[in-house]
Amino acid sequence: MNQQSNPSRITEIRPKVVFQAVENRFQDQNSEFTVNIPSSAIGGLTLLESAILTSFVKLITPTAIFEFGTYMGATTLLFARNSPTSTSVVTIDIDPDTTVTQNDISEADYLSDGDANDEHLKDIFATNGAIYIDRAEAELKQKIIRIHQDSTSIDPQQQKFMKRFQLIFIDGGHDFNTVKSDTENALKMAADDGIIVWHDFRSQIHDDVTRFLDGFATEHEIIHVQNTMLAFMLLGKYKEILI
């Protein structure tokens, strides 16, 4: 793997390392994916980030995917549309119908302060709900299981999530305690062979994600894809897929 380590012990790789892994696996065919035009609303993925996540789906063909943070459902739909027909996508977020909004947050605040940004995202979520899922085709909706619950309150064992998911995406609450809780649950829920991905690493406003992962990386091998806010951890046999 063509890589270098930064002082935080998190390994840096170029996006092409992920794309080359897909090319190596599917040498006799074109590798394609489908994505919505990125939303103009704050909080979505870039096209490059969408391509990286879809590449992970192509590489491991997961039977089950879990997403912390549904938001408007664009990433949920990305997973559903680009995974095998039999794959289930479970996504968790608070209930938009019961979310208390703070519509007086200024643009200057939500573009510079992480807590204000999260509150602004809640406002968007409360107003729109998971609109990408709501307007998707019926066959894609059937693949998606939506849970309306605070992610920090889930019990993986009680909900039969232990070691169930080959791909887990953490992009819910961005405060340190929520990222920590979601990560701890993800480790319980991840299959022996799997990938855990975090969004907002090195975000200019959600610095708790970076702070958590810098500490987490002292005991776990974490990889950051350059020019994205994606960091990930490979488990089991997938530790070798980028070599």
Side-chain angles (χ1 to χ4, degrees):
M1 195 164 37
N2 183 15
Q3 61 192 34
Q4 60 184 23
S5 296
N6 64 26
S8 71
R9 299 188 182 181
I10 292 180
T11 300
E12 299 283 339
I13 63 170
R14 296 179 180 180
K16 76 171 187 178
V17 174
V18 179
F19 301 147
Q20 285 175 336
V22 177
E23 291 171 354
N24 290 339
R25 179 174 178 187
F26 302 102
Q27 296 183 23
D28 59 346
Q29 59 184 275
N30 295 327
S31 296
E32 301 175 345
F33 73 103
T34 302
V35 62
N36 290 297
I37 293 175
S39 171
S40 60
I42 191 170
L45 298 180
T46 66
L47 282 174
L48 178 56
E49 290 169 340
S50 296
I52 295 295
L53 287 181
T54 306
S55 294
F56 289 151
V57 172
K58 300 296 185 184
L59 281 169
I60 69 173
T61 56
T63 60
I65 299 171
F66 193 93
E67 175 187 44
F68 288 91
T70 310
Y71 190 39
M72 293 193 291
T75 309
T76 320
L77 195 61
L78 181 79
F79 288 139
R81 194 180 296 280
N82 292 284
S83 58
T85 304
S86 59
T87 299
S88 62
V89 181
V90 182
T91 183
I92 187 169
D93 213 321
I94 54 179
D95 188 342
D97 293 334
T98 61
T99 300
V100 178
T101 61
Q102 298 183 29
N103 294 314
D104 58 344
I105 300 173
S106 70
E107 182 177 3
D109 285 340
Y110 70 67
L111 290 179
S112 61
D113 179 82
D115 292 337
N117 183 271
D118 268 351
E119 290 302 323
H120 179 65
L121 296 180
K122 287 181 182 179
D123 290 346
I124 296 174
F125 184 53
T127 301
N128 299 297
I131 56 175
Y132 285 90
I133 300 173
D134 293 338
R135 60 195 182 197
E137 306 94 306
E139 59 268 26
L140 291 180
K141 289 182 181 179
Q142 291 175 357
K143 297 177 63 176
I144 298 170
I145 300 170
R146 297 162 69 174
I147 301 174
H148 288 151
Q149 184 178 342
D150 184 328
S151 66
T152 63
S153 69
I154 65 172
D155 183 334
Q157 185 167 5
Q158 184 181 45
Q159 293 176 275
K160 298 181 180 180
F161 288 161
M162 300 292 284
K163 292 186 176 295
R164 175 177 166 184
F165 302 95
Q166 293 80 32
L167 178 59
I168 298 178
F169 184 50
I170 300 176
D171 191 23
H174 299 99
D175 61 281
F176 188 93
N177 288 335
T178 299
V179 178
K180 181 175 183 291
S181 175
D182 289 348
T183 300
E184 289 172 348
N185 281 326
L187 291 171
K188 298 173 185 176
M189 294 158 54
D192 290 335
D193 302 313
I195 302 178
I196 300 174
V197 188
W198 294 261
H199 191 234
D200 288 298
F201 176 70
R202 297 206 181 144
S203 163
Q204 296 301 307
I205 54 176
H206 294 302
D207 52 1
D208 275 8
V209 179
T210 304
R211 184 163 63 91
F212 171 78
L213 284 174
D214 280 341
F216 190 70
T218 62
E219 298 181 359
H220 303 84
E221 185 175 356
I222 304 299
I223 302 169
H224 171 233
V225 182
Q226 294 174 352
N227 302 314
T228 77
M229 291 191 291
L230 297 176
F232 64 94
M233 176 182 180
L234 301 171
L235 303 173
K237 67 181 182 182
Y238 294 128
K239 289 182 179 180
E240 311 298 325
I241 63 173
L242 299 183
I243 294 177

